[in-house]
Amino acid sequence: MHGPVAEVLQFIDLTTYNILFLFIVGFIGGLVSGFIGSGGAFVLTPGMMSLGVPGTVAVASNMCHKFPKALVGAIKRYKYGQVDIKLGLIMGIFAEIGVQVGIMIQQYILKVYGQAGSNLYVSFIFVLVLVIVGGYVMRDAVQMKNATGITPSSPALAKRLQQIEIWPMLTFKTAGLRISMWFLVPVALATGMLAATIAVGGFIGVPGLMYIIGATSIVASASELVIAFVMGLGGTLIWAYYGTVDIRLVMIILAGSLFGVQLGAIGTTYVKEYMIKYVMATIMLIVAVSRFFAIPKYLNELQVTALADSSVALMTQISFYVMCFALLTGATIILVNLFKARSQEKAAVPAPAGG
Amino acid sequence: MEPKKMEKIQEHIPAETTSADLGVQVKKISYILVVTRNGHMSEPVMEYAVNVADRLQYNIIAAHINTLPFYRDGGRRSGLFASAMQESALLFREKAEARGVQVKHIGDAGKIGNVVKRLCSSEKRIEFIVIDQGIRKEEVVSQSPVPVFSVIYTEKKAGLRNKATHYKSVEKGAIRMSITSKKRHLRNCFTFGILTAAVYAAVFLNQELVMAYFTKGGIYALLPVAVVFMVSYAHGNFTSSFWSALGIEGSKSTTTKPADIRKKATDVPVVKKDVRPRAEVNV
């Protein structure tokens, strides 16, 4: 099957504008990924498509850039002692299964409701998940920020789940928790399914790790990179099997995103716990708004509504720009906090002892 | 040189009237044993011992231990050691007399640990030991029945630069290390930069060929994956050392959050650095 697909696909010519655009989006996406464990991918796919890259190539190339980025980020954050490899790998394997399930659901919807129905489903999931989870994370971040004194060790739900002993129990040393595999698997599956649907599994994976499994936001976002690596590698092999990966696009995005991911990982060592949640929630909520603007287009296609074409086109454009805005906002918060914390640390600890 | 030739010098400085205050005879006076293996005992150590002895109303036993009595130089070293010891003893006595502390001076030879052990059993009521620079604490601690302290002081006192001697070597190492690590980052940056450039050049200069094979699918799927792994190795290391070379690295205090440091820095007023010689316990 892979032969004919490749022949039909069109690979774009690279112009300076294209290269610059991909490099910058890559950098910002990488920065966010390094910091919150995922993200950036949701802008890249529509971004590439706006450059004229066919949908499948955009998705495949995005996937192919995701796993090396996650790998580099995970290695960097492992050096800071934030990654629970075992947690990441187990989650990653089940997330991979989740991806396959997600694809099957997608295909079923595509068959029954057609392309527009599928798009509507994706956007609907997008808005639903992002608003609910994003809202919850934001509430938690604000509470943590306002709370004086010692922050609670782990959320109530996670604590309760950790006490339930059902074989097989898994112990995660870096994350410092012990939980039954039966609670881990649903989170992993959901992560994979979301990744298959909206390309960013981390929006479920990281909050899931924090609130259901009970990892700290630092460990959760760092281990999410391992999950993203496993999922990305699996996905890439499948896409590459069909010859849809444009290695040039991948390499240009990687050129920028590896700079970003390093910086994002460095950023996590400076900020407080709630900051990761805060950045994540901010991005999720803004992206939810963006997807909301995309819905009328699909409703129109399904002939549920009859809006004027021009206004639908405008909304689609707004949707894309709002998404870029989400990423930029996240990146700005990260950078500002990183450099602020750095200068403050320098001021507080002027020189090594005895100097 | 035979050990016999190393004469034991014992000098008792008569107690001044101050110690016989109110006519009450102080029956049991405790001692601080100050040990050096150098000809000249360092002054901060002397000062520290005198200070503490004055406060605790102890007396001092100053021991100069020649650790190389059989050094093959025709007795030159031992001679120098003995004369330096005399000078040093005189200085110590002066310092002590000014504070009304008695100093008993002993010259001995042998291994530090053995001599200390011997002195602790022969001289009564040694409460603790203060060791000079150049003596390994472990050597004394292993033989000593009483606590052992080393003295940290700034070299300004010894007429040199204002650096804490105790940390001197460590700090030098730290500085040297930061210099070498910066160099290393730059070198890595350069090496991996070239490697990255090579990978990118190889792909982009042969675009047609690459695209033809890489999109063939099937087993050729391994090609893009392999290239991407190469990129993540080369470019990943490059970007890592790039930020490091620019001085942007992870927080050094990930355990202590920056906010806490900030808080401490604002809460606690800046304390003037204490440059007085101070003891360090043998734990």
Side-chain angles (χ1 to χ4, degrees), chain B residues 2-152:
Chain B
E2 288 174 31
K4 281 175 199 166
K5 283 194 175 180
M6 286 296 303
E7 290 170 1
K8 270 199 172 182
I9 305 159
Q10 296 211 354
E11 288 174 85
H12 280 268
I13 299 162
E16 305 242 334
T17 41
T18 46
S19 63
D21 46 347
L22 302 170
V24 181
Q25 210 185 358
V26 184
K27 277 183 184 173
K28 289 180 179 176
I29 285 190
S30 300
Y31 288 94
I32 301 170
L33 175 62
V34 187
V35 186
T36 185
R37 55 165 292 181
N38 311 326
H40 289 98
M41 187 183 282
S42 58
E43 284 187 49
V45 173
M46 288 183 191
E47 280 159 17
Y48 174 75
V50 170
N51 265 335
V52 175
D54 186 24
R55 273 210 307 274
L56 299 174
Q57 296 196 321
Y58 283 6
N59 284 344
I60 293 171
I61 298 173
H64 279 256
I65 301 169
N66 184 358
T67 47
L68 299 165
F70 305 118
Y71 193 67
R72 288 167 177 275
D73 62 350
R76 193 163 164 270
R77 188 187 180 278
S78 292
L80 285 172
F81 189 86
S83 61
M85 183 166 75
Q86 300 281 10
E87 266 175 41
S88 187
L90 208 67
L91 182 68
F92 205 168
R93 197 188 305 160
E94 268 173 28
K95 280 181 190 288
E97 273 175 356
R99 302 286 292 270
V101 175
Q102 290 186 24
V103 176
K104 185 170 162 186
H105 191 255
I106 294 172
D108 208 335
K111 283 187 175 174
I112 298 271
N114 297 340
V115 174
V116 164
K117 192 182 175 187
R118 196 163 66 232
L119 284 174
C120 283
S121 51
S122 65
E123 305 292 327
K124 298 298 174 203
R125 293 183 300 282
I126 289 176
E127 300 293 337
F128 60 88
I129 299 170
V130 174
I131 53 173
D132 195 9
Q133 301 294 315
I135 296 176
R136 280 198 310 121
K137 212 192 284 175
E138 299 76 28
E139 208 181 333
V140 183
V141 169
S142 61
Q143 303 276 354
S144 161
V146 291
V148 180
F149 299 88
S150 61
V151 177
I152 305 167

Side-chain angles (χ1 to χ4, degrees), chain B residues 162-200:
Chain B
N162 187 12
K163 288 265 176 182
T165 28
H166 193 79
Y167 292 123
K168 199 175 113 193
S169 56
V170 179
E171 202 175 83
K172 264 189 180 165
I175 290 166
R176 198 173 302 143
M177 204 154 128
S178 76
I179 291 166
T180 49
S181 72
K182 193 154 195 183
K183 263 188 192 165
R184 200 187 66 222
H185 290 317
L186 278 173
R187 204 174 45 231
N188 278 353
C189 200
F190 188 70
T191 317
F192 288 109
I194 287 179
L195 199 64
T196 309
V199 174
Y200 274 79

Side-chain angles (χ1 to χ4, degrees), chain A residues 2-3 6 11 14 19 23 27 64-65 67-69 71-72 76 79-80 82 218 229 233 236-237 240-260 262-263 266 268-273 338-342 344-349 352-355, chain B residues 162-164 167 171 174-175 196 199-204 207-208 210-211 214-229 231-244 246-265 273:
Chain A
H2 54 268
F11 295 99
L14 293 171
I19 292 173
F23 184 87
F27 174 76
C64 187
H65 116 274
F67 85 87
K69 178 183 74 179
L71 175 68
V72 170
K76 184 84 173 175
K79 285 180 189 162
Y80 297 139
Q82 302 171 340
I218 299 234
F229 167 72
L233 182 58
T236 303
L237 284 170
Y241 182 79
Y242 296 119
T244 47
V245 174
D246 189 337
I247 190 77
R248 302 166 309 158
L249 296 180
V250 172
M251 283 175 74
I252 294 165
I253 300 166
L254 269 182
S257 80
L258 293 193
F259 276 109
Q262 302 274 3
L263 206 57
I266 291 169
T268 59
T269 64
Y270 284 97
V271 297
K272 286 201 147 192
E273 279 261 355
L338 167 62
F339 287 102
K340 220 163 68 183
R342 254 188 103 235
Q344 264 156 353
E345 184 169 294
K346 268 188 183 172
V349 196
Chain B
N162 187 12
K163 288 265 176 182
Y167 292 123
E171 202 175 83
I175 290 166
T196 309
V199 174
Y200 274 79
V203 170
F204 283 91
Q207 269 192 53
E208 275 92 40
V210 166
M211 287 310 282
F214 280 41
T215 56
K216 263 191 172 177
I219 193 70
Y220 292 96
L222 293 177
L223 284 174
V225 174
V227 168
V228 158
F229 267 114
V231 171
S232 56
Y233 172 72
H235 194 43
N237 277 311
F238 168 66
T239 49
S240 177
S241 45
F242 174 80
W243 293 120
S244 297
L246 282 182
I248 299 171
E249 282 184 307
S251 170
K252 288 183 182 65
S253 52
T254 29
T255 42
T256 19
K257 289 284 157 61
D260 300 343
I261 296 168
R262 255 173 271 150
K263 205 178 159 201
K264 270 184 205 161
K273 222 182 146 229

Side-chain angles (χ1 to χ4, degrees), chain A residues 12-346:
Chain A
I12 59 156
D13 287 327
L14 293 171
T15 61
T16 318
Y17 169 76
N18 288 352
I19 292 173
L20 213 63
F21 175 82
L22 290 174
F23 184 87
I24 292 169
V25 175
F27 174 76
I28 298 171
L31 183 62
V32 173
S33 298
F35 195 77
I36 65 170
S38 64
F42 56 85
V43 172
L44 274 168
T45 311
M48 277 192 267
M49 283 163 78
S50 75
L51 294 178
V53 179
T56 29
V57 177
V59 172
S61 305
N62 190 0
M63 187 74 99
C64 187
H65 116 274
K66 211 163 80 172
F67 85 87
K69 178 183 74 179
L71 175 68
V72 170
I75 290 171
K76 184 84 173 175
R77 294 189 66 168
Y78 179 75
K79 285 180 189 162
Y80 297 139
Q82 302 171 340
V83 178
D84 196 309
I85 298 180
K86 187 178 164 191
L87 180 65
L89 286 180
I90 293 176
M91 288 274 293
I93 290 162
F94 284 104
E96 189 68 60
I97 298 169
V99 170
Q100 301 307 322
V101 176
I103 291 171
M104 274 191 265
I105 296 174
Q106 282 263 59
Q107 281 170 341
Y108 173 76
I109 290 172
L110 190 67
K111 212 161 72 183
V112 177
Y113 299 102
Q115 187 62 48
S118 164
N119 285 339
L120 186 64
Y121 159 76
V122 169
S123 287
F124 181 70
I125 296 282
F126 235 118
V127 175
L128 196 73
V129 169
L130 295 191
V131 168
I132 295 172
V133 182
Y136 187 78
V137 177
M138 180 60 101
R139 205 190 63 159
D140 186 42
V142 171
Q143 275 176 356
M144 263 179 102
K145 192 183 174 185
N146 293 337
T148 44
I150 305 147
T151 46
S153 53
S154 62
L157 175 63
K159 241 180 206 165
R160 212 177 306 157
L161 291 181
Q162 282 173 18
Q163 279 161 1
I164 302 171
E165 301 249 342
I166 309 173
W167 184 89
M169 292 296 285
L170 300 167
T171 308
F172 303 104
K173 280 181 187 155
T174 311
L177 53 91
R178 184 166 179 272
I179 197 161
S180 169
M181 201 173 85
W182 296 106
F183 299 121
L184 204 66
V185 171
V187 176
L189 287 177
T191 306
M193 280 167 70
L194 192 73
T197 317
I198 67 169
V200 190
F203 285 161
I204 284 257
V206 179
L209 279 173
M210 291 191 298
Y211 300 116
I212 299 172
I213 311 298
T216 61
S217 61
I218 299 234
V219 172
S221 57
S223 304
E224 169 64 29
L225 286 169
V226 180
I227 304 174
F229 167 72
V230 176
M231 278 197 301
L233 182 58
T236 303
L237 284 170
I238 293 170
W239 284 116
Y241 182 79
Y242 296 119
T244 47
V245 174
D246 189 337
I247 190 77
R248 302 166 309 158
L249 296 180
V250 172
M251 283 175 74
I252 294 165
I253 300 166
L254 269 182
S257 80
L258 293 193
F259 276 109
V261 83
Q262 302 274 3
L263 206 57
I266 291 169
T268 59
T269 64
Y270 284 97
V271 297
K272 286 201 147 192
E273 279 261 355
Y274 72 83
M275 199 38 100
I276 292 176
K277 294 182 180 176
Y278 180 66
V279 171
M280 185 162 195
T282 308
I283 293 176
M284 284 170 85
L285 291 175
I286 301 176
V287 172
V289 173
S290 136
R291 291 319 291 182
F292 184 75
F293 279 112
I295 289 181
K297 181 186 167 194
Y298 308 129
L299 286 177
N300 244 17
E301 282 173 15
L302 283 174
Q303 286 162 351
V304 178
T305 55
L307 291 165
D309 281 353
S310 58
S311 55
V312 168
L314 183 71
M315 279 192 182
T316 311
Q317 265 206 331
I318 290 174
S319 163
F320 179 67
Y321 287 124
V322 171
M323 211 135 72
C324 293
F325 174 70
L327 207 57
L328 270 176
T329 311
T332 313
I333 301 174
I334 295 167
L335 285 181
V336 166
N337 275 290
L338 167 62
F339 287 102
K340 220 163 68 183
R342 254 188 103 235
S343 57
Q344 264 156 353
E345 184 169 294
K346 268 188 183 172

